[in-house]
Amino acid sequence: MATPAAPRTIAAPVVEASDRPFWDAAAAGRLLLKRCGDCGRTHFYPRPLCPFCSSDRTEWCEAAGTGTVYTFSVMRRGTPVPYAIAYVTLDEGVTMLTNLVDCDLDAIRIGDRVRVVFKPSDGGPPVPMFTPAR
Ligand SMILES: [Zn+2]
């Protein structure tokens, strides 16, 4: 039996000054990551200091917005509508905690290819989530 992902209210993210560019880009339909100017590695969530080498030379870069489901769980209890929480590994190598949306929740599989979509939040900027790329 299919479980379609129904629309649900998404709490507004808390926007700090240091991650304002991330949310401004999300409002424009772009997914940003941070890349280190010293070690060259990409990280998520965005931080002022590189989590690998502690450099403060981090810069914003745009992600392709595509990735693979690393793992997921469909939440059915204690929520008005079922939804899928997931870790998605982006093609840039970072892993995001996110939701899988606009799909049959019973058809999701680890390893599925997904692409980013931005869903409105309750009074805040849109939030990046993922949907099957097929
Ligand atoms: Zn670094």
Side-chain angles (χ1 to χ4, degrees):
M1 185 175 78
T3 304
R8 66 186 184 95
T9 302
I10 299 162
V14 175
V15 178
E16 304 288 348
S18 63
D19 53 38
R20 167 72 61 192
F22 177 86
W23 296 112
D24 287 348
R30 299 166 54 231
L31 180 61
L32 295 188
L33 304 173
K34 278 272 190 115
R35 183 180 299 132
C36 178
D38 281 323
C39 73
R41 296 178 75 177
T42 303
H43 67 266
F44 186 85
Y45 57 93
R47 280 158 275 193
L49 298 180
C50 173
F52 303 108
C53 74
S54 300
S55 170
D56 63 357
R57 293 184 55 231
T58 62
E59 53 202 30
W60 294 102
C61 58
E62 185 167 353
T66 49
T68 303
V69 176
Y70 176 76
T71 193
F72 71 97
S73 184
V74 177
M75 315 304 285
R76 298 179 193 276
R77 292 183 165 206
T79 177
V81 293
Y83 66 97
I85 188 167
Y87 279 111
V88 167
T89 302
L90 299 185
D91 292 343
E92 290 79 7
V94 300
T95 300
M96 292 179 63
L97 180 61
T98 185
N99 282 196
L100 302 174
V101 296
D102 302 335
C103 61
D104 176 359
L105 299 178
D106 295 332
I108 300 168
R109 297 292 179 266
I110 289 171
D112 281 355
R113 291 289 296 166
V114 290
R115 63 178 171 78
V116 71
V117 291
F118 293 88
K119 293 297 180 180
S121 68
D122 189 14
V127 176
M129 296 185 170
F130 288 81
T131 193
R134 57 185 110 89

